[in-house]
Amino acid sequence: MKVLDRLAACFERLPGVGRKSAERFAYHVLAMPLKDVEDFADGLLAARRDLRACGVCGCFDEADPCAVCSDESRDRSLLCVVDRSGAAALIERTGGYRGLYHVLGGHLHSLPRTGRPQPRVKALLARAEKDPPREIVLALPPSAEGEATAAMLARMLKPLGLRVTRLGVGLPAGSELEYADEVTLARAIEGRTGL
Amino acid sequence: MKVLDRLAACFERLPGVGRKSAERFAYHVLAMPLKDVEDFADGLLAARRDLRACGVCGCFDEADPCAVCSDESRDRSLLCVVDRSGAAALIERTGGYRGLYHVLGGHLHSLPRTGRPQPRVKALLARAEKDPPREIVLALPPSAEGEATAAMLARMLKPLGLRVTRLGVGLPAGSELEYADEVTLARAIEGRTGL
């Protein structure tokens, strides 16, 4: 059934979805009410059509510049660097950050190294030089790739005389010591704070 | 961004997809080439439109009766009961089964118990009575729900004088004893076969 394989291949392009899950999703669609499938197809097209990357920060939004960039009440002296637009949305939801964002669009290691420039990194440096923020928060994941990217960005940004910070690494709030892996626990000890 | 939430809600309807994965998928779509998003939307509609449940066995196919049901070379004295059409596709891929199928559309425990009849179970009993197969293989998952369903079906089918079997339960091929859970190992001992 070529039509099923074709749909499974579409699902397989989603992050973290393997062949078996993709096939399961495709079969699920066959048994869905037609109305729901039409809504799904329309939702894909509408989202792709109505949302675009903000020309300033790179976050997806209906407007360009985006709602955050054009909000005059935001703290323009704080710049938060994220790997993708979804990460900025997660930070927004905490309600604890009132600065601006800059979407990198990936990690430096996964971007091509030679020849082609890294446009979003160039844009970050240009932004930081043109209107230097008080602080740049590198909100990249505490994974090997994320940390390597943060280290490379810090090496580029610090010579500009900017304060560069990263997210705290440690025990998840509400968790037990027993369930933390050794690296996390070591990082939590290292990053201990005064009371 | 309502348009993004709407798309995430569509992804969240897929089996095993939670809110966070659904949002991640939605953001991924925003960054996909327009052509790929159009293919995805079209793939959903095409699959839902071109494939339908076979009137005989319930498997999804372009044709009704499906390719398996209308294949004269299949062994019509063997009937394999599966919970969903995707399970039949997995068995087909092994190349080790040449009989027919019957899709149940779920597990008996998850189907409504009272009032409404269970149409696919009724259809199975009607098929088995009209043209009794040599053997009915209950290819349901060895989970609590699957085993309860198999037991209930066996109680209905055996009085008709039919041979009812189920899939073997034991160690996955190529695995080590250390990695099997105790229930699986106990079932493997119980289901040991002569050499």
Side-chain angles (χ1 to χ4, degrees), chain B residues 44-65:
Chain B
L44 285 167
L45 296 169
R48 180 64 178 71
R49 185 190 59 219
D50 296 349
L51 302 176
R52 61 197 65 81
C54 166
V56 183
C57 73
C59 285
F60 285 105
D61 199 56
E62 277 117 348
D64 183 9

Side-chain angles (χ1 to χ4, degrees), chain A residues 9 35 63 80 96 134 137-138 144 165 169 178:
Chain A
K35 173 88 178 56
C80 178
R134 175 168 49 87
V137 186
L138 303 178
T165 58
V169 175
E178 283 85 348

Side-chain angles (χ1 to χ4, degrees), chain B residues 149-177:
Chain B
T149 302
M152 285 162 92
L153 289 178
R155 270 201 302 277
M156 294 177 193
L157 293 165
K158 279 185 170 172
L160 306 176
L162 295 163
R163 184 175 176 227
V164 181
T165 58
R166 61 162 170 72
L167 294 184
V169 174
L171 303 174
S175 69
E176 299 280 351
L177 261 69

Side-chain angles (χ1 to χ4, degrees), chain A residues 1-4 6-7 10-11 13-15 17 23-25 27-34 36-48 50-51 60-62 84-86 89-90 93, chain B residues 1-4 6-7 10-11 13-15 17 23-25 27-34 36-48 50-51 60-62 84-86 89-90 93:
Chain A
M1 292 187 288
K2 267 190 194 147
V3 70
L4 192 88
R6 216 186 98 199
L7 178 57
C10 291
F11 278 120
R13 277 193 213 116
L14 298 172
V17 175
E23 283 177 1
R24 209 165 166 215
F25 292 166
Y27 272 108
H28 184 85
V29 169
L30 303 184
M32 271 165 63
L34 180 61
D36 288 2
V37 180
E38 285 169 349
D39 280 353
F40 197 165
D42 186 54
L44 285 167
L45 296 170
R48 180 64 179 72
D50 297 350
L51 301 177
F60 284 105
D61 198 56
E62 278 117 346
R84 58 206 167 77
S85 183
L90 292 174
R93 225 173 282 170
Chain B
M1 291 187 289
K2 267 190 195 148
V3 71
L4 191 88
R6 214 186 99 202
L7 178 58
C10 291
F11 278 121
R13 278 194 212 114
L14 297 172
V17 176
E23 282 176 2
R24 209 166 167 214
F25 293 164
Y27 273 108
H28 184 84
V29 169
L30 302 184
M32 270 165 63
L34 180 60
D36 287 1
V37 180
E38 285 168 349
D39 280 353
F40 198 165
D42 186 54
L44 285 167
L45 296 169
R48 180 64 178 71
D50 296 349
L51 302 176
F60 285 105
D61 199 56
E62 277 117 348
R84 56 204 169 79
S85 183
L90 292 174
R93 223 173 284 170

